[in-house]
Amino acid sequence: MSAVPLRNNKAAPSAVRTVTVLGATGSIGDSTMDLLRAARERYRVEALTANGNVQALAKLAKEFDARFVAIADPSRLAELKQALAGTRTECGAGESAIIEAAARPADWVMAAVSGAAGLKPALAAVDRGATVALANKECLVCAGDFFMERALKANACILPADSEHNALFQALSSGNREELVRVIITASGGPFRTWAPADIEQATLAQALKHPNWSMGQKITIDSASMMNKGLEVIEASYLFALAPEEIDVLVHPQSIVHGMVEFSDRSVVAQLGAPDMRTPIAHCLGWPDRIKGPAARLDLAKIGQLTFEAPDFERFPALRLAYDALRTGRGATTVFNAANEVAVAAFIAGKIKFGAIARLVEATIEAWIRAGNLAPLSSADDAIAVDHSARNKAASLLPQIALKAS
Ligand code: NDP
């Protein structure tokens, strides 16, 4: 059983839908606001949130006549109030205000705050039974143990916004759970797809940031180069669709046109295709259960000519193996996987470790965590956040020895 609706069985939404965008000033938030802008008559904005970007938030609030806006950084409240003077938009600051924004009665919520800070607000939307378009990976990777259970209990509807999971969501509606054999998530392979191990080990930040197809933020682009992002997506898929690790495969597909596939018992494989543009999966979530007009480029397969596929290389990209292991281990191991990776990526960006050491730090942190007997089921956001913090500390303490170690 999953809170992701596998058939279009929900009542059609009311003519004007109220929406809230958590993380409205980010990359996913920006794409979401773009789609709302193009269909103003169908949506009314209830609440918008940001971390510290007051001016961008106030601009959006004015443009969309939002009822409420929240800024996570409490020291920016006065500035926000000033920027919204003369409007009827209410505002708040701090984590509680972000949670309040999520708890307000919007039909549809985009959960696109980055990092573990996105967990509590997403849960606030889930707990009131909202339809939640989920972009934030941490909700599932750090707290998948209970996030989807809470959604089921509250009768919330989780719509996967990440492109691969949205593709699976679309393909899954072609059959029943009992008919499903496996899902396949595609990966571009990143900039180091064809590189030798020794070159990957020494890759520079500039090289890691050259994603062949997608334009994304720094952290997720580095995760794509190491294939940590694909590992995170395997974990996401497992929790979202209640799948065993053995039911999830990864396939390298350098063109990033096929985003996900589902194999059914009759050996039919149903795929979702589209140009690599996040506005397509977001538009699918925004329109669901209908479809709205999307602004992405139309797919011209004749022009693309060839779609190619390769098996992933678990040796050159150990991140994938680590993700499957963490998923099988459970009891907080995926939370540790994510936390250690964040510490490792930050250290790589700061020039403290080599690219190849990112996976080594993640592996060492998980091993130390298990050895210390720290594995335990997570049952609340506070549990997940506590594990996230301790795992970060553990990873930071292991960093100097990993930095010194040769591959
Ligand atoms: P960005 O960094 O571009 O935006 C993050 C948003 O969250 C901004 O609005 C930011 O506000 C806000 N924010 C950051 N920290 C906090 C905090 N502590 N409290 C409240 N709000 C905060 O991220 P993306 O849009 O790229 O990604 C959002 C999520 O979606 C991530 O979990 C990512 O992994 C996932 N995702 C992203 C994809 C992409 O293509 N970008 C694809 C698939 C998933 P401010 O602007 O003020 O800093």
Side-chain angles (χ1 to χ4, degrees):
M1 219 13 202
S2 165
V4 179
L6 295 186
R7 296 278 191 188
N8 284 355
N9 55 1
K10 278 232 160 180
S14 52
V16 174
R17 220 176 190 192
T18 48
V19 304
T20 284
V21 183
L22 307 172
T25 51
S27 153
I28 296 285
D30 195 43
S31 295
T32 309
M33 300 315 291
D34 241 10
L35 291 164
L36 293 175
R37 196 169 280 123
R40 292 293 290 266
E41 67 296 344
R42 289 188 62 166
Y43 303 100
R44 183 182 66 67
V45 172
E46 176 65 30
L48 300 173
T49 77
N51 187 27
N53 198 343
V54 168
Q55 293 311 324
L57 182 65
K59 193 165 174 236
L60 287 171
K62 284 181 191 161
E63 181 187 353
F64 288 90
D65 191 20
R67 299 276 158 96
F68 181 73
V69 294
I71 194 96
D73 180 351
S75 70
R76 313 296 293 272
L77 182 60
E79 196 188 331
L80 181 61
K81 279 187 172 158
Q82 194 182 13
L84 289 172
T87 70
R88 58 178 187 159
T89 305
E90 295 170 52
C91 49
E95 187 190 54
S96 60
I98 307 284
I99 293 171
E100 184 190 337
R104 286 173 78 109
D107 301 320
W108 187 93
V109 177
M110 166 53 81
V113 169
S114 54
L119 178 56
K120 285 187 179 175
L123 278 172
V126 157
D127 285 344
R128 65 175 177 80
T131 296
V132 179
L134 192 62
N136 175 286
K137 290 178 199 288
E138 287 76 9
C139 289
L140 296 167
V141 176
C142 302
D145 282 345
F146 64 91
F147 186 88
M148 294 304 285
E149 272 174 39
R150 286 262 287 262
L152 258 183
K153 207 164 143 201
N155 203 21
C157 174
I158 306 293
L159 303 177
D162 206 347
S163 58
E164 293 78 0
H165 305 82
N166 183 266
L168 298 182
F169 172 41
Q170 297 197 41
L172 280 164
S173 63
S174 294
N176 292 323
R177 179 65 180 89
E178 309 76 61
E179 297 159 350
L180 180 146
V181 174
R182 64 174 174 145
V183 303
I184 303 160
I185 297 173
T186 59
S188 70
F192 309 143
R193 180 174 63 88
T194 57
W195 285 31
D199 296 333
I200 297 177
E201 172 69 26
Q202 305 291 342
T204 65
L205 177 59
Q207 288 166 329
L209 287 176
K210 271 194 197 130
H211 195 283
N213 305 329
W214 294 92
S215 155
M216 303 179 291
Q218 197 177 51
K219 157 76 170 49
I220 193 169
T221 305
I222 294 167
D223 285 347
S224 296
S226 64
M227 292 200 71
M228 282 288 175
N229 186 48
K230 218 39 62 179
L232 293 169
E233 287 177 4
V234 167
I235 297 166
E236 270 187 271
S238 168
Y239 288 122
L240 264 177
F241 304 113
L243 298 169
E246 300 70 36
E247 293 175 309
I248 309 165
D249 280 342
V250 172
L251 189 60
V252 175
H253 166 47
Q255 296 81 17
S256 298
I257 297 297
V258 179
H259 303 298
M261 301 178 234
V262 179
E263 181 182 330
F264 292 102
S265 50
D266 61 4
R267 298 293 178 243
S268 290
V269 177
V270 180
Q272 187 264 352
L273 287 74
D277 186 327
M278 279 308 295
R279 290 174 302 178
T280 302
I282 298 171
H284 178 256
C285 293
L286 190 57
W288 189 89
D290 302 325
R291 288 196 186 257
I292 58 173
K293 209 164 179 301
R298 290 182 66 187
L299 192 58
D300 186 345
L301 285 174
K303 200 167 163 193
I304 294 164
Q306 270 196 329
L307 299 181
T308 59
F309 301 92
E310 303 158 18
D313 185 335
F314 285 64
E315 295 298 318
R316 283 185 307 132
F317 297 98
L320 267 183
R321 170 179 55 79
L322 295 173
Y324 275 103
D325 287 350
L327 191 52
R328 286 192 187 94
T329 304
R331 294 164 294 154
T334 60
T335 318
V336 178
F337 172 87
N338 179 67
N341 180 50
E342 289 199 8
V343 171
V345 171
F348 171 67
I349 293 171
K352 292 181 186 160
I353 58 171
K354 289 182 180 160
F355 186 80
I358 294 177
R360 288 198 291 281
L361 182 61
V362 173
E363 184 158 27
T365 308
I366 296 176
E367 278 174 6
W369 192 262
I370 295 173
R371 260 200 321 274
N374 287 334
L375 291 176
L378 309 179
S379 56
S380 69
D382 288 330
D383 272 5
I385 288 165
V387 168
D388 176 77
H389 284 172
S390 311
R392 277 170 205 272
N393 290 339
K394 176 46 78 186
S397 72
L398 293 170
L399 194 62
Q401 70 194 69
I402 294 290
L404 288 175
K405 228 190 219 166
S407 62

